[in-house]
Amino acid sequence: MPLFRRRGPQQAEWFTVGSQGHRVVPGAASPGIEPLLGLGDYVEAISQRRPPGPDGRDTIAVLNAKMDHAETVNDLVTATVLACEELVERGLLDASLAPSSPPRATLRRDMSTYAYIQQLHQRAVERREWLDNVDSLFRTNGVLLLAPLPVHE
């Protein structure tokens, strides 16, 4: 954050968290975790276009979508945890309301790649429930978590 900056009279205060720079806007008019909107739709859409094979197993496209979903959920959980910590530190969120750590089931590595991806996706689904609860907390407290700004090269 620059030392000197000009602010317009209507500019909201915001800060970034994490290495990707997710933006946190306290006192937002439309609070919540914005990247949650439609997050699960991608896996569902791919699953409908690429139904399971004759053996009942997911296609490569669906497995890729599940891995992308899990990675996105993990990034969002990290940003949300950091946002909560920063909000508490700044006195913008009561420490007693701060959520406990999200579920992080240990992933077994002694299984096939297919089974590992299914397990990874299941953990992401469980962590989505935690994100939904924090989304409600943010809505109640007027906090908006936004995706990072795109990087222009």
Side-chain angles (χ1 to χ4, degrees):
M1 203 180 280
L3 282 175
F4 303 101
R5 60 190 161 150
R6 296 176 190 252
R7 282 186 232 149
Q10 301 293 340
Q11 183 178 355
E13 285 292 323
W14 59 277
F15 56 91
T16 61
V17 293
S19 61
Q20 294 180 353
H22 283 78
R23 296 164 291 154
V24 181
V25 184
S30 300
I33 301 176
E34 185 259 350
L36 272 179
L37 301 172
L39 183 59
D41 296 346
Y42 175 62
V43 174
E44 188 173 323
I46 298 296
S47 296
Q48 288 176 354
R49 280 189 253 152
R50 302 279 192 232
D55 59 357
R57 294 169 57 101
D58 288 334
T59 63
I60 296 296
V62 173
L63 293 175
N64 284 335
K66 286 183 173 183
M67 288 179 9
D68 290 345
H69 176 258
E71 183 178 336
T72 302
V73 167
N74 286 338
D75 291 345
L76 193 51
V77 164
T78 300
T80 304
V81 166
L82 293 172
C84 289
E85 289 175 0
E86 187 69 23
L87 289 164
V88 168
E89 187 174 307
R90 292 175 182 234
L92 300 171
L93 180 66
D94 188 321
S96 67
L97 297 176
S100 59
S101 295
R104 185 153 180 99
T106 304
L107 297 173
R108 292 182 38 219
R109 302 222 182 237
D110 61 338
M111 55 180 53
S112 69
T113 302
Y114 181 85
Y116 179 78
I117 293 170
Q118 298 297 3
Q119 184 181 14
L120 187 68
H121 177 68
Q122 182 56 42
R123 182 176 82 169
V125 169
E126 292 167 3
R127 297 181 98 198
R128 283 280 313 275
E129 290 179 35
W130 181 87
L131 284 168
D132 289 339
N133 291 334
V134 179
D135 180 65
S136 296
L137 174 70
F138 281 8
R139 289 178 189 284
T140 302
N141 288 279
V143 175
L144 174 62
L145 179 65
L146 294 167
L149 291 172
V151 176
H152 299 293
E153 295 180 22

